[in-house]
Amino acid sequence: MITNSTEEQKGFRGLRVYRLAYETSMEIFRMTRKFPHDEIYCLTKQIRCSSRSVVSNIAEGYRKSSYPKHFVSKLTDADSECSETTVWLDYAVDCGYIEKEERASLIDKYRSVGRMLDAMMKHPEKFKRFSSSDQPAGN
């Protein structure tokens, strides 16, 4: 669970996009616990992996935010993982594992994540971790 400590608000955990992506991936985790056991190595693994990858790419991108091209590249990966996750949600509905309303709710959240990622990619300078005066030694 994500907490609201002051220290966590300073890093990637303080980003709204990270928090929404994390919470949504946890919803997917809880949802997939109800999937049939024979899906454990197929649909369950795929959707959990892609939903978590959204979050991890945001975190990795944040750490690279002093290098705009690397930052945008990781955010692009996160956005791609959002799209992949929505495909797995389509399969979950068509296989009868979740209801259309649950899929719609999760897809809406990923659309919000995608919009936030898009805004970040268009303005990477707003997320630069270090100015030239406080760049760590050796970098």
Side-chain angles (χ1 to χ4, degrees), residues 24-43:
T24 307
S25 74
M26 289 304 299
E27 280 185 61
I28 285 176
F29 171 76
R30 287 186 292 275
M31 173 192 75
T32 58
R33 294 181 82 179
K34 300 171 190 164
F35 284 11
H37 184 71
D38 62 336
E39 285 287 6
I40 194 80
Y41 298 108
C42 294
L43 184 57

Side-chain angles (χ1 to χ4, degrees), residues 34-53:
K34 300 171 190 164
F35 284 11
H37 184 71
D38 62 336
E39 285 287 6
I40 194 80
Y41 298 108
C42 294
L43 184 57
T44 303
K45 183 177 187 243
Q46 292 289 347
I47 196 168
R48 285 179 181 177
C49 185
S50 63
S51 69
R52 291 172 178 168
S53 188

Side-chain angles (χ1 to χ4, degrees), residues 104-119:
S105 172
L106 291 165
I107 286 176
D108 282 346
K109 291 176 184 181
Y110 279 114
R111 283 187 184 130
S112 293
V113 168
R115 283 191 297 273
M116 286 186 255
L117 291 171
D118 187 55

Side-chain angles (χ1 to χ4, degrees), residues 14-22 58 112-114 116-117 120:
L15 298 172
R16 284 185 328 148
V17 67
Y18 174 88
R19 296 172 73 81
L20 178 58
Y22 186 92
I58 293 167
S112 293
V113 168
M116 286 186 255
L117 291 171
M120 292 171 76

Side-chain angles (χ1 to χ4, degrees), residues 46-47 49-51 79-89:
Q46 292 289 347
I47 196 168
C49 185
S50 63
S51 69
D79 194 40
S80 296
E81 294 293 339
C82 282
S83 293
E84 179 181 341
T85 303
T86 65
V87 170
W88 300 127
L89 289 167

Side-chain angles (χ1 to χ4, degrees), residues 31 89-90 92-94 96-108:
M31 173 192 75
L89 289 167
D90 292 342
V93 167
D94 291 342
Y97 303 150
I98 64 172
E99 298 296 321
K100 288 181 180 180
E101 296 76 22
E102 188 171 12
R103 175 187 62 186
S105 172
L106 291 165
I107 286 176
D108 282 346

